[in-house]
Amino acid sequence: MADGERALGGYSPDAGRNAHLAGAPTTIPVPSLLRSLLSDHLDPGYAAAAERRASAGTTTRPAANVAWQILAGLLVTAVFAAAVAQATSVAPATQETRQVLATGVRNAQLATDRGTARRDALAGEVESERRARLAGDQTGRQLLADLDVAEFAAGATAVHGPGLNVTVTEPSAARDLTDVSKQRVAGSPQVILDRDLQLVVNSLWDSGAEGVAIGGVRIGPNVTIRQAGGGLLVDNQPVRNPYEVRAVGPPHAMYDAFDQSPALHRLRLLEATYGVAVTVSEADDLALPAGSVREVNFAKQIGPK
């Protein structure tokens, strides 16, 4: 194949010419669209413009365009310099505000801890005085027994005994949780939600638990498990990962029942899907603290029915 034919992608430049009949007119074929695509790689307008630039020689950019570009560069530099200066001037104030807020939080936490300790001490004194006064006769002893049953049901007394430990650990930050952030908590790698812990607590009650605590917070009638932002609150107290759920009760029977519960099935699904670590073990002696007791308010209708 000749070089000319290769340049045209295999098409002969003499195609359409009559070379056999003497005296016959020679025709020049019009290039087909396919031949044009294979041979002409530059648009005719661009080719003409390139030829004009080549004939006119190398042209210089007008001074006005260069000046505008220099002015734009100076303007961008000034904007960045102002932003850096503002950030530098605001940084100390921001740091000071952060320290003031952190100090306020620590002081409030210390005051809360002191108030909680004083409340517990006064509650202990009241309990001792009540028992000393009621234990003297049969009626008082029966009243104390009824109070003990009611306080135990309300989670108002500390308990200890054998039971079950359920520990749930969030997956590591290195794991890819793109689907988690879309399906569970938007913009957060958190996998365990309040409804998961609620299901665990309900399943433990159904398995025969006599007392339950999450992260050292006792579960009672007025205790809520809810989610606030990226944290979990139990009785308005934050609990942190790993989440430890302790239940006092018959350990073997609880283990067998909890092993078939919807809560464990859900946790195993999260374990297989997102890498959550779940451990369930029996314990010989668990200590659960007393829970907080709040007043129960009853609503009544005002006015005629």
Side-chain angles (χ1 to χ4, degrees):
M1 183 181 296
D3 294 338
E5 295 181 11
R6 288 194 182 92
L8 294 177
Y11 290 91
S12 174
D14 296 328
R17 297 179 182 273
N18 193 338
H20 300 288
L21 297 179
T26 301
T27 60
I28 300 177
V30 177
S32 65
L33 176 62
L34 181 59
R35 179 181 298 180
S36 176
L37 291 175
L38 293 174
S39 59
D40 300 333
H41 304 293
L42 187 63
D43 186 87
Y46 286 104
E51 291 179 359
R52 286 196 300 270
R53 284 197 300 270
S55 61
T58 304
T59 58
T60 59
R61 186 173 299 173
N65 293 340
V66 176
W68 278 111
Q69 290 184 357
I70 294 175
L71 182 60
L74 292 176
L75 182 60
V76 171
T77 303
V79 170
F80 276 103
V84 171
Q86 183 178 5
T88 305
S89 62
V90 172
T94 304
Q95 183 65 23
E96 183 179 357
T97 303
R98 185 181 296 110
Q99 292 177 355
V100 170
L101 293 176
T103 302
V105 170
R106 286 193 295 268
N107 292 338
Q109 185 64 45
L110 291 175
T112 301
D113 294 341
R114 288 194 296 267
T116 302
R118 179 169 174 76
R119 180 202 63 189
D120 295 341
L122 293 176
E125 294 178 5
V126 170
E127 178 67 19
S128 300
E129 186 67 20
R130 181 175 61 186
R131 290 190 175 275
R133 291 178 180 274
L134 294 178
D137 55 12
Q138 182 64 27
T139 304
R141 288 192 292 271
Q142 182 61 41
L143 181 58
L144 284 176
D146 295 340
L147 286 174
D148 289 341
V149 173
E151 288 180 347
F152 181 79
T157 57
V159 296
H160 69 89
L164 212 61
N165 263 331
V166 181
T167 304
V168 183
T169 306
E170 295 275 6
S172 62
R175 189 178 177 88
D176 184 9
L177 298 178
T178 304
D179 52 345
V180 178
S181 63
K182 290 181 179 179
Q183 297 177 8
R184 297 180 72 80
V185 182
S188 171
Q190 184 178 5
V191 177
I192 302 301
L193 306 182
D194 49 3
R195 59 177 176 264
D196 301 321
L197 294 183
Q198 292 168 6
L199 185 59
V200 170
V201 171
N202 291 334
S203 296
L204 287 173
W205 287 126
D206 190 55
S207 300
E210 301 173 3
V212 181
I214 301 178
V217 182
R218 183 73 174 275
I219 303 298
N222 296 321
V223 173
T224 60
I225 304 172
R226 63 187 184 89
Q227 190 169 347
L232 290 174
L233 302 178
V234 179
D235 197 19
N236 292 326
Q237 301 182 41
V239 293
R240 295 174 177 81
N241 177 56
Y243 309 109
E244 296 183 356
V245 186
R246 297 182 175 182
V248 170
H252 300 297
M254 288 176 56
Y255 187 92
D256 293 338
F258 187 74
D259 188 60
Q260 303 298 325
S261 66
L264 188 59
H265 291 169
R266 182 183 182 87
L267 292 179
R268 295 305 184 194
L269 178 62
L270 296 178
E271 184 179 33
T273 307
Y274 302 119
V276 173
V278 181
T279 58
V280 182
S281 60
E282 299 179 11
D284 296 332
D285 190 13
L286 294 176
L288 305 185
S292 58
V293 179
R294 299 177 178 87
E295 291 187 17
V296 179
N297 299 320
F298 297 92
K300 63 179 180 179
Q301 184 174 350
I302 299 177
K305 293 183 180 181

